């Protein structure tokens, strides 16, 4: 099976690359557009029924009409001059709250809104007066919106409501503040967007830098990251589509954990192939890139398959866990790793076959055998005296 996959990939590399490009970009788009339909709004649904919070949530749903997709938030309203609220102020605040309840909130369309498969979260907010502070410095309003709080469409709808509320109370001579679940989620995402971008760029930069130092080649530094991104996007999209088709709901943290796992193992698998590919080209200078890629993929493919299937088996065992979040996370990562394995046996060898010796340009080290480094010398000494080393370690 491995020989058939790698053989086809190296014989018809461009076909394999085109197929993976279409699958990668297509499934990545579908995964990003549909991920919020496949995830639960929170982690409460994954708790065992015997847990107190899960039992209380069930009672609240059955007897008090609480919905798991309702996003509560609190609006704090105070006078602009900081003075205590009068009874007339309270009536004015309650009247504005009633007006906000009747006003339709249209979900804004932004540049990052996908053109397809977008669920319209336009709605009317449920706004109710809650209580006034004992010192009458402010009045609290209870607000409910519906939808997954991690969904950008729901977040944009909340921002539209926030703008409406601010404008309405501004006209009434009041100032407002927003807090609670959905408000905190939106503010956290806005505050963490720059951090996530910086962390991603630094991570990619470190990976590229290490590859440049090792291979002295820009292609060998960038292609692994690009290939892993394409396969990882396809794997994440496959998990999301599989969850929608099977009716299984993912935990909010599952997509992020899948990306972390796939980047780690995907770069490792490509490094296995790259090192062995460079050794093959050095030992056989007259061999073409396709021939070398075929030999390397067949030999290293077995090791990659063994490593990947071990990870799949380990994560699949989480499918019998008591905690529902683990019970969903394990099979999801197992499916993603299987997709990465398929890509490692087809897409990565196809890239090696197409690039050939150009993979290591502009390095000139490909034409000469490198001197044995510290690791090679240490391994040689251990190989010559294995029993002495074993006795020393046991002692």
């Amino acid at each position: 099976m491995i020989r058939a996959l790698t053989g086809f990939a190296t014989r018809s590399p461009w076909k394999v690359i085109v197929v993976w490009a279409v699958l990668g970009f297509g499934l990545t788009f579908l995964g990003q557009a549909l991920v919020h339909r496949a995830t639960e709004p929170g982690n409460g649904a994954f708790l065992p029924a015997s847990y107190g919070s899960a039992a209380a949530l069930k009672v609240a749903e059955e007897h008090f009409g609480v919905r798991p997709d309702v996003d509560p938030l609190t609006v704090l309203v105070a006078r602009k001059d900081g003075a205590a609220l009068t009874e007339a102020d309270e009536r004015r605040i309650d009247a504005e709250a009633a007006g906000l309840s009747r006003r339709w909130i249209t979900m804004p369309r932004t540049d990052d809104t996908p053109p397809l498969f977008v669920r319209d979260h336009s709605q009317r907010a449920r706004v109710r007066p809650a209580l006034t502070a004992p010192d009458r410095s402010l009045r609290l309003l209870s607000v409910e919106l519906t939808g997954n709080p991690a969904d950008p469409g729901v977040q944009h709808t909340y921002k539209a409501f926030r703008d409406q509320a601010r404008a309405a109370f501004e006209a009434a001579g009041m100032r407002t503040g927003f807090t609670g679940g959905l408000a905190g989620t939106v503010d956290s995402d806005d505050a963490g967007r720059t951090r996530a971008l910086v962390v991603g760029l630094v991570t990619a930069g470190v990976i590229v830098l290490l590859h440049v130092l090792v291979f002295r080649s820009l292609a060998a530094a960038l292609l692994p990251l690009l290939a892993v991104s394409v396969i990882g996007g396809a794997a994440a999209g496959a998990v999301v589509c599989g969850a929608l088709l099977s009716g299984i709901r993912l935990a909010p943290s599952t997509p992020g954990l899948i990306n972390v796992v796939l980047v780690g193992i995907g770069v490792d698998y490509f490094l296995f192939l790259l090192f062995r590919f460079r050794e093959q080209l050095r030992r056989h200078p007259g061999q073409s890139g396709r021939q070398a890629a075929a030999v390397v993929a067949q030999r290293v493919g077995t090791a990659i398959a063994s490593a990947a299937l071990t990870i799949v088996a380990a994560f699949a065992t989480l499918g019998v866990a008591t905690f529902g979040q683990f019970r969903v996370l394990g099979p999801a990562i197992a499916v993603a790793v299987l997709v990465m394995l398929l890509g490692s046996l087809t897409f990565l060898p196809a890239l090696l076959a197409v690039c050939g010796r150009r993979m290591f340009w502009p390095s000139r080290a490909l034409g000469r055998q490198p001197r044995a480094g510290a690791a090679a010398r240490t391994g040689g000494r251990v190989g010559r005296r294995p029993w002495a080393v074993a006795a020393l370690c046991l002692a």
Side-chain angles (χ1 to χ4, degrees), residues 227-288:
V228 169
S229 299
V230 172
I231 302 173
V239 170
V240 170
C241 294
L244 288 174
L245 292 175
S246 63
I248 298 174
R249 304 285 284 180
L250 302 175
S253 60
T254 298
L257 292 174
I258 289 176
N259 292 332
V260 171
V261 172
L262 291 183
V263 169
I265 65 173
V267 172
D268 279 349
Y269 294 164
F270 208 152
L271 286 179
F272 295 160
L273 288 167
L274 273 178
F275 274 106
R276 189 66 183 88
F277 186 58
R278 187 172 64 176
E279 292 177 2
Q280 183 72 16
L281 292 177
R282 281 173 174 168
R283 293 178 180 177
H284 305 278
Q287 200 170 47
S288 66

Side-chain angles (χ1 to χ4, degrees), residues 10-27:
T10 52
R11 286 193 306 271
S12 306
W14 284 111
K15 294 180 181 178
V16 174
I17 292 174
V18 170
V19 169
W20 269 108
V22 173
L23 285 177
F25 290 109
L27 287 175

Side-chain angles (χ1 to χ4, degrees), residues 27-110:
L27 287 175
T28 298
F29 174 80
L30 286 177
Q32 293 178 350
L34 302 176
V35 62
H36 301 294
R37 300 190 187 187
T39 56
E40 285 284 351
N43 293 321
F46 297 103
L47 292 172
S50 58
Y51 282 41
S53 57
L57 179 61
K58 185 177 181 180
V59 171
E61 292 176 359
E62 293 178 351
H63 300 283
F64 297 95
V66 174
R67 295 169 51 189
D69 63 340
V70 170
D71 304 315
L73 59 107
T74 302
V75 181
L76 293 79
V77 186
R79 291 172 58 104
K80 285 185 178 181
D81 56 9
L85 295 174
T86 63
E87 292 184 359
D89 291 332
E90 290 186 355
R91 289 193 295 270
R92 190 179 304 113
I93 292 172
D94 294 348
E96 294 294 342
L100 289 173
S101 294
R102 294 189 297 269
R103 189 175 301 178
W104 183 256
I105 309 169
T106 302
M107 186 185 79
R109 299 282 177 160
T110 61

